[in-house]
Each structure stands twice: as structure tokens, then as C-alpha cells.
Amino acid sequence: MVSTNKLKSVDFYRKIPRDLTEASLSGAGLSIVAALAMMFLFGMELNNYLTVNTSTTVIVDNSSDGEFLRIDFNISFPSLSCEFASVDVSDVLGTNRLNITKTIHKFSIDHDLKPTGSEFHSGPVLHQIKHGDEVDEESGEGSVSLKAHNFDQYSHQYPILVVNFFAPWCYWSNRLKPSWEKAANIIRERYDPEMDGRILLAKVDCTEEGDLCRRNHIQGYPSIRIFRKGSNLREDHGRHDHESYYGDRDTESLVKTMEALVAPIAMESQRQALENKPENATQHVKRPAPSAGGCRIEGYVRVKKVPGNLMISALSGAHSFDSKQMNLSHVISHFSFGMKVLPRVMSDVKRLLPYIGRSHDKLNGRSFINHRDVGANVTIEHYLQVVKTEVVTRRSSSERKLIEEYEYTAHSSLSQTVYMPTAKFHFELSPMQVLITENPKSFSHFITNVCAIIGGVFTVAGILDSILHNTVRMMKKVELGKNF
């Protein structure tokens, strides 16, 4: 059995009797300084242990979201009607998608960006609009030409007023003209405006009556609008409640549509003849007209991860537009790439990395207004360079992905063009991604550093105390030697 004396021989901390020790003021001062230094250094080490340490690397993009990228946006156009607003996507691989509607929502707005009603529905995509084979000959003009001074009078006089807003220079207006006038003559014969007075076909030349056309939010030619007596009252900030006709433009189709419009208000003697006509005979060719001249477009599109364009402009396969009158000024409420990040997740990440998330919605809240003359033909372009940022934590035994977001830089310009003005967002994705990894610190490392601080300060203070004590003793000996 090991004796007690042998165990004492391995004592690293041998004790000196208290009577053989000597206290000094210099030692007390150094002890206080050493204690304060230990406390300060311990606090610094604890703060360093609690602080998140990250490393940033740039690697080749290894996204887990596949080959497609989602673009979310909410953009308001004060001068672009929802009737013709089109969202298009194209890229360098040849993809060209026009008038995307499945994931897009449109809301009519006024010039102050305030909504003027419920969501605007473009309706189903119809077949190619059929035009008549008639030529503009001696059939005569059956429609009434309206001006600004008599438009309201006619709209309140007839239960049904169907107006063709046209422009003489427009190809589609000229194709419609013979069929329109012939249909107007047929309707005039069947429903005499003086004797019957239930329906009237009219026309407005928008090159002469520009204010009247703007008042009715006409942006494409020809636009056929259906006004119903008593339902086009200008209440609530000048809103209009009428319908637009999108059906075929040959004489037979026009006449059939007009008769279906008259059917619900037919005189008693005619009800029997028209009772077999379906009530929804014209539902597929007419829809509510936009109630204001602006449009808020929101939703998302999915694009390939290659350079491409997101374009918003006026588009129609059977209407013409005056590019000098088009104004694509817009206000961006939201524009981002990738899946939406929940606010709670973003706040958690910001506690980890305060600078993260500053550029994932860089265009939010910005306005791009064309202050030039209305005939400036201005296209507004945004050049966006996109890079993916991924944050990974290693606090647990395995890695955990905190967030995946796409940040971008944006450069915008307004430029004149000879083509139809558009709002274009050109995006280009980087083939690299930024990987931010949280590097956790081990508790054992923290304890080791704390021990090193305590031991190191204690040892250094002891050395300084020994040097100071021996120096004082030597000085005293020297003074005693001089005295003797």
C-alpha cells in the first residue's frame, strides 16, 4: 500500500507556512491589477465565444431549386390599361412566352395608384378574330359619328349604345370599317332608332376626339365598347361601368351580337321570337371594360437560369397602338428573385448576419416616371445582375441550411425608341454563388482559453512582483552600505 509520505512527494503545490511569508503594498497592488485583468480578459473571451463567426466562400452554383428561377413582382403602371397589359418572358435559349396570365393578377388603378375595383380578368383566349371580306364601298355609313359634345346625350338616350373607337391610320380599324358600317345599316333597319330606339351603333375618331377617347381609357384601336343606359354614370372618381367586345368582326357576328344585346330589353311583341336565344350568347365575346387607365400587375413567373428578359407592354393580336401615346412609367412595389423568405426567418438570419438581405429587393419602392413629352416613345430598361447567397449553420452535429436568397444589383435607364415602348427587366444570373457558413466554437476551447488567461495573468503578475520586490531589497541594501 502506498504510504502517505510517498503521495505527498508528488504534490505540485507545496505550501509555505504563513509565518514565513511576507505581505507588501506592491504585491497587493499587483494582485488587484491582476484580478482586474483576469476579469477583463475573461469578459472578452466570453464575448468572443458568444459571437457568431462566419466564413464566406464563392463556389459554383449548386442550387437545389432546379433549372428554373421564380421572379415575384408587384408593379403599378398609371398609364397602361389592364385591357392590353401583357407580361412576356424571353431568354437566350429561344424561349418566348407572350401574355402570361396563369400566375398574373391585374387590378385597375387610377393615376394616384389607388385601386378602382376588383381584379381585372382578361377572359379565356379566343380563336383568331375573324374579319369580314367586305370592301369599303357604296354601302353607306350606318353608324353615327359621335363627338365629345354629344357623346353623353346619346349614351343616355339609348338603352344600348355600341361605339367603335378607331383611328384612320390603324390597319385593324380599316379592316373593321366595312363590316361595322354594314352591320350598323342592318341593325338600323331592324331596330329603327326613331321607332324602336333600343340600340344604336356609333363611332368615334380618336385622332380628332383624343380627350373623349382618353376619358374612356382607349389605348388600342379599334376598341368596341358597349354602353348601357343608366350604368355609365360618372361617380366615384370618374369610373366607367361598361363592357368591351372581343369577338369576331365580320358582319354576321356583329349583327348576331347586337341582337343578343337587344334581346333582354326586347318589346313585348318580340319576346316570343327571341325567347329561345340563350341569355349568355355574348358572354364569351364581351367582358367588363377597365374602369381606369392604369393597371397594377402582380404575381410571379418562372424563368430558366440563363440571361433573359421580363417585359411588360401593350400587346394585342387584333389592335393597333399609337406608340407616341404609350407611357410605360411605373412604380415598383416589389421585385425579387427566388422563393419568398418569411419575415421571421429573415429576422433570424439578420441576427446572424446584419448585412444580409439588403439587396434581394433593391428595386422595392422605386419610381420610374417618364417626365418627357407624351410623344417621346420612351422605353424603361432595368439591367439586373443576380447572385445566389446561401447561409448554412453548423451548431448541431450536422449542417442545416438557414436561407437561400437571390440578391441583385440594378441599373436603370430611360431611352427613346422607334418601336413600341416597353418596361424591360433584363436579368443575368451569375454561375457562382456566395456560401456563408457559421463556424461554431467548442466549449472546451473556451475553457482552455479561460485557464490560459487565469494562469498567464497570475504567472506574469508573480514575475513582476518578484522583480519589483528584489529591486526594492537591493536598493535598501545599497542605501545601508552607504551609511556604514
Side-chain angles (χ1 to χ4, degrees):
M1 186 173 181
V2 181
S3 64
T4 304
N5 292 331
K6 288 186 178 180
L7 285 176
K8 289 181 178 181
S9 65
V10 296
D11 184 6
F12 292 164
Y13 308 101
R14 299 186 178 223
K15 309 302 183 293
I16 301 176
R18 190 174 183 82
D19 294 340
L20 299 179
T21 59
E22 178 185 1
S24 64
L25 289 177
S26 60
L30 279 174
S31 298
I32 295 174
V33 171
L36 293 175
M38 289 180 190
M39 294 173 60
F40 175 75
L41 293 176
F42 173 77
M44 294 290 290
E45 182 63 25
L46 179 62
N47 180 68
N48 184 56
Y49 173 71
L50 296 177
T51 301
V52 176
N53 186 26
T54 61
S55 60
T56 302
T57 55
V58 178
I59 62 174
V60 176
D61 187 6
N62 59 354
S63 302
S64 59
D65 49 2
E67 298 180 355
F68 291 89
L69 176 65
R70 172 169 168 156
I71 304 178
D72 285 271
F73 54 88
N74 184 335
I75 308 174
S76 299
F77 293 83
S79 302
L80 177 63
S81 173
C82 288
E83 185 176 13
F84 301 112
S86 174
V87 179
D88 311 324
V89 169
S90 63
D91 60 40
V92 296
L93 297 181
T95 301
N96 193 16
R97 299 161 58 200
L98 301 178
N99 196 18
I100 300 172
T101 59
K102 187 175 181 180
T103 57
I104 304 298
H105 304 280
K106 303 175 186 176
F107 300 87
S108 294
I109 59 174
D110 58 22
H111 282 281
D112 296 324
L113 308 184
K114 296 179 180 178
T116 59
S118 57
E119 181 179 352
F120 179 86
H121 295 281
S122 301
V125 179
L126 303 177
H127 61 279
Q128 185 174 1
I129 292 179
K130 181 172 65 175
H131 289 77
D133 297 327
E134 298 89 346
V135 294
D136 192 5
E137 50 187 20
E138 66 282 352
S139 59
E141 294 190 356
S143 61
V144 179
S145 181
L146 300 182
K147 305 293 183 181
H149 64 84
N150 63 359
F151 185 86
D152 289 340
Q153 174 188 344
Y154 277 92
S155 65
H156 289 83
Q157 180 179 350
Y158 293 91
I160 300 293
L161 176 65
V162 188
V163 184
N164 171 25
F165 294 89
F166 72 97
W169 52 263
C170 170
Y171 167 78
W172 298 108
S173 295
N174 292 326
R175 286 202 64 180
L176 171 64
K177 182 179 178 181
S179 299
W180 183 258
E181 299 300 341
K182 188 174 180 179
N185 280 321
I186 295 174
I187 294 299
R188 182 182 289 271
E189 292 174 0
R190 296 182 183 179
Y191 308 96
D192 185 85
E194 301 295 333
M195 302 299 296
D196 190 299
R198 285 172 292 167
I199 187 170
L200 180 70
L201 271 67
K203 60 187 176 184
V204 173
D205 185 347
C206 288
T207 59
E208 296 180 356
E209 301 294 332
D211 291 338
L212 177 59
C213 292
R214 280 190 290 271
R215 194 176 78 188
N216 288 280
H217 315 302
I218 305 299
Q219 294 184 1
Y221 311 108
S223 289
I224 301 175
R225 298 289 169 84
I226 303 168
F227 297 86
R228 300 179 186 274
K229 183 178 179 180
S231 64
N232 192 38
L233 301 179
R234 268 186 234 91
E235 302 173 348
D236 195 8
H237 303 85
R239 294 182 186 175
H240 293 255
D241 182 16
H242 50 269
E243 297 167 313
S244 292
Y245 174 78
Y246 298 99
D248 291 329
R249 297 175 182 172
D250 60 293
T251 302
E252 181 182 354
S253 299
L254 290 170
V255 171
K256 187 181 298 183
T257 300
M258 303 311 156
E259 289 184 337
L261 290 173
V262 174
I265 56 172
M267 294 184 298
E268 190 64 32
S269 60
Q270 296 173 316
R271 289 189 187 277
Q272 189 67 28
L274 295 172
E275 64 181 1
N276 294 326
K277 288 185 178 289
E279 292 184 3
N280 61 346
T282 61
Q283 290 304 309
H284 69 291
V285 296
K286 62 183 181 68
R287 295 187 294 274
S291 54
C295 188
R296 186 178 83 244
I297 304 174
E298 61 181 56
Y300 69 92
V301 295
R302 291 175 62 84
V303 298
K304 293 181 179 179
K305 292 183 177 180
V306 295
N309 298 289
L310 170 66
M311 295 173 290
I312 301 176
S313 63
L315 179 67
S316 174
H319 295 80
S320 298
F321 304 95
D322 186 355
S323 60
K324 295 180 181 179
Q325 301 292 329
M326 300 303 298
N327 186 349
L328 271 294
S329 298
H330 54 271
V331 177
I332 302 176
S333 300
H334 178 75
F335 195 98
S336 65
F337 294 87
M339 297 298 294
K340 288 184 178 180
V341 180
L342 296 177
R344 179 181 58 82
V345 176
M346 181 57 74
S347 66
D348 291 342
V349 175
K350 280 186 175 292
R351 282 196 291 269
L352 178 68
L353 302 166
Y355 60 84
I356 201 75
R358 294 179 181 175
S359 300
H360 83 281
D361 52 3
K362 202 164 189 177
L363 288 175
N364 285 19
R366 297 186 60 183
S367 302
F368 300 90
I369 307 299
N370 173 18
H371 295 291
R372 306 178 188 180
D373 294 335
V374 70
N377 283 33
V378 172
T379 285
I380 304 176
E381 296 189 64
H382 308 278
Y383 186 79
L384 313 177
Q385 291 181 303
V386 189
V387 62
K388 180 184 176 183
T389 300
E390 185 176 318
V391 180
V392 175
T393 180
R394 291 178 178 170
R395 288 190 175 182
S396 57
S397 57
S398 59
E399 290 188 354
R400 182 170 65 91
K401 189 179 299 183
L402 286 182
I403 190 176
E404 277 187 352
E405 68 156 4
Y406 289 85
E407 300 193 343
Y408 62 89
T409 60
H411 303 277
S412 306
S413 67
L414 281 71
S415 59
Q416 288 184 310
T417 176
V418 295
Y419 303 104
M420 183 64 62
T422 62
K424 181 185 292 186
F425 297 83
H426 176 78
F427 53 89
E428 185 171 343
L429 280 80
S430 171
M432 313 300 288
Q433 77 170 55
V434 177
L435 178 63
I436 301 175
T437 306
E438 179 187 4
N439 299 320
K441 299 173 183 176
S442 65
F443 183 72
S444 60
H445 184 72
F446 168 70
I447 293 297
T448 301
N449 286 350
V450 170
C451 293
I453 289 172
I454 296 174
V457 172
F458 185 83
T459 301
V460 171
I463 294 173
L464 293 176
D465 178 65
S466 177
I467 293 174
L468 182 60
H469 181 70
N470 291 330
T471 301
V472 171
R473 287 183 62 186
M474 288 180 63
M475 291 178 63
K476 287 183 177 180
K477 286 183 178 179
V478 170
E479 289 179 358
L480 289 174
K482 288 181 178 179
N483 292 333
F484 292 96

